[in-house]
Amino acid sequence: MDLLNTLVDKGLRRELPTRDEALAVLATSDDELLDVVAAAGKVRRQWFGRRVKLNYLVNLKSGLCPEDCSYCSQRLGSKAEILKYTWLKPDQASEAAAAGLAGGAKRVCLVASGRGPTDRDVDRVSDTIKAIKDQNEGVEVCACLGLLSDGQAERLRAAGADAYNHNLNTSEGTYGDITTTHTYADRVDTVHKAHAAGLSACSGLIAGMGESDEDLVDVVYALRELDPDSVPVNFLIPFEGTPLAKEWNLTPQRCLRILAMVRFVCPDVEVRIAGGREVHLRTMQPLALHLANSIFLGDYLTSEGQAGKADLDMIADAGFEVESTDEVTLPEHRGAGGCGSEGVCGSADSDAIPEARTDLVAVRRRGAGTDLAPNA
């Protein structure tokens, strides 16, 4: 297939695909899907071998967010029956992180609901970062606290944070349909602040919110321009009690096409399969490892993932290996930052709209904020 040969050649040279090429990948048939995965897998192996980086989420503060992001179970007005609790103490957060690190995670992602942190919140998170790093040599810590004010990124960096996550989520053109309490430009500004402070920028997207292929192309091109080190690809978890509860638009095949496109567009960047992989990729998850070089271990913020042991077994069974703390994730030429081309993503009109599977969305009831052991 000439298209895939061209895309492999471009990926090995870190050259940007055209928008038409991106859209063409997303329009491939199911008969061509394994060819698409194999082609993108060549690019993935060129830059990351067969290593899989494990990341672990700790939800520092759950629910009661004043923002109205339609996809989020923690949003203003959410009726989703999720765990709700205020800030974990540093020792509680460190204990939660230890479970994921014991399971093989290399990076801990500290997340808190809300528009953005106060200066007191930055102090809390700084204390938590120090507690985790004091007890775990070589661990990476990424903070995800919402929109940053001037000077806050620098304070997090000084406290030992390695990275900051703030996703664009969707295209600039459709952002106002998803969120009204802040703007797309606000999100871009926070990624710039993280970069300027010397933090590794982590920014990605959510697929499955009813967007067009063109919207997905737009957001990944925008991510490419922002030059993040890692691009998390989330697949919408349609929580009952949120405005997007009925948006069951994804199939495993569509998810694989989206991941393949992200890999072609950002060939030498950490592409992470984030929330929703168990819900939408299901038994096709091992194929996704040929496209992405990073996943979250165990549970997510407000939903349960598959057991950490199952993740480790899946990685081993698929012929991959867990990346160790003494291995550098990004290729040497990238140094501390950058995406490597100029980005794109999408969907496929040929995919049938699947029946809603609300039974696949399990609210998290264990780990941080509870007395029960985490799923790690």
Side-chain angles (χ1 to χ4, degrees):
M1 189 175 180
D2 290 342
L3 169 67
L4 296 179
N5 290 334
T6 297
L7 287 169
V8 170
D9 288 343
K10 287 186 174 184
L12 299 183
R13 298 195 304 266
R14 296 183 288 127
E15 183 180 333
L16 175 66
T18 67
R19 292 179 69 92
D20 284 346
E21 287 167 344
L23 292 170
V25 169
L26 299 169
T28 53
S29 69
D30 287 350
D31 287 343
E32 298 166 314
L33 182 60
L34 287 180
D35 294 330
V36 172
V37 172
K42 290 180 182 178
V43 179
R44 181 249 202 265
R45 289 192 300 277
Q46 166 71 20
W47 302 114
F48 298 96
R50 303 190 75 83
R51 292 176 285 119
V52 178
K53 182 176 182 177
L54 298 182
N55 309 267
Y56 188 69
L57 283 168
V58 177
N59 196 353
L60 296 177
K61 181 168 72 77
S62 184
L64 307 175
C65 182
E67 303 299 288
D68 69 353
C69 307
S70 298
Y71 52 81
C72 185
S73 60
Q74 305 182 78
R75 73 187 297 272
L76 179 69
S78 172
K79 300 294 193 296
E81 296 180 354
I82 61 169
L83 286 169
K84 298 181 179 69
Y85 52 87
T86 190
W87 288 94
L88 298 181
K89 292 181 172 59
D91 60 333
Q92 293 174 314
S94 182
E95 182 179 354
L101 295 171
K106 177 176 180 176
R107 171 175 287 191
V108 174
C109 302
L110 302 175
V111 189
S113 62
R115 178 180 177 85
T118 64
D119 286 341
R120 184 185 177 195
D121 294 337
V122 173
D123 288 339
R124 297 181 207 263
V125 177
S126 295
D127 290 343
T128 298
I129 293 169
K130 291 173 184 175
I132 292 172
K133 290 215 159 188
D134 285 348
Q135 297 174 29
N136 302 278
E137 184 178 357
V139 65
E140 298 176 7
V141 177
C142 178
C144 179
L145 311 173
L147 301 172
L148 292 175
S149 301
D150 290 344
Q152 290 183 328
E154 286 79 5
R155 291 174 59 196
L156 290 168
R157 184 73 182 105
D162 300 284
Y164 195 84
N165 166 258
H166 200 62
N167 296 328
L168 295 187
N169 291 328
T170 192
S171 69
E172 184 174 14
T174 59
Y175 196 84
D177 298 331
I178 299 298
T179 303
T180 67
T181 47
H182 60 266
T183 68
Y184 179 90
D186 290 332
R187 287 188 169 267
V188 171
D189 178 66
T190 286
V191 179
H192 284 314
K193 282 183 168 69
H195 256 315
L199 292 166
S200 174
C202 173
S203 190
L205 65 145
I206 303 173
M209 297 191 291
E211 70 283 333
S212 68
D213 285 2
E214 288 75 12
D215 290 325
L216 285 168
V217 166
D218 286 346
V219 68
V220 183
Y221 266 105
L223 288 167
R224 176 58 182 246
E225 186 174 346
L226 283 178
D227 200 28
D229 291 330
S230 56
V231 176
V233 180
N234 295 276
F235 302 109
L236 176 72
I237 301 177
F239 272 96
E240 289 296 322
T242 65
L244 298 184
K246 306 304 180 187
E247 293 288 343
W248 288 84
N249 302 313
L250 297 171
T251 64
Q253 294 81 7
R254 176 172 168 87
C255 293
L256 290 171
R257 291 185 184 99
I258 292 170
L259 287 168
M261 179 51 56
V262 175
R263 175 55 69 200
F264 283 131
V265 169
C266 294
D268 57 347
V269 166
E270 178 189 341
V271 175
R272 185 183 311 155
I273 317 172
R277 68 177 163 95
E278 297 91 343
V279 176
H280 296 294
L281 280 164
R282 301 191 286 277
T283 58
M284 303 278 271
Q285 289 181 70
L287 276 181
L289 295 176
H290 292 271
L291 309 170
N293 63 296
S294 180
I295 66 170
F296 280 108
L297 180 75
D299 294 331
Y300 301 98
L301 295 176
T302 62
S303 65
E304 293 191 354
Q306 67 186 25
K309 176 65 163 56
D311 287 337
L312 297 176
D313 288 344
M314 175 182 72
I315 291 168
D317 289 347
F320 293 87
E321 59 187 28
V322 173
E323 184 175 292
S324 66
T325 56
D326 60 357
E327 291 179 291
V328 177
T329 300
L330 296 176
E332 185 178 355
H333 67 266
R334 286 190 54 84
C339 195
S341 308
E342 254 128 72
V344 189
C345 237
S347 62
D349 292 338
S350 61
D351 288 332
I353 302 300
E355 180 183 354
R357 289 289 308 277
T358 56
D359 60 301
L360 294 175
V361 181
V363 173
R364 181 174 69 84
R365 302 293 183 196
R366 60 194 174 197
T370 77
D371 295 328
L372 300 178
N375 182 19

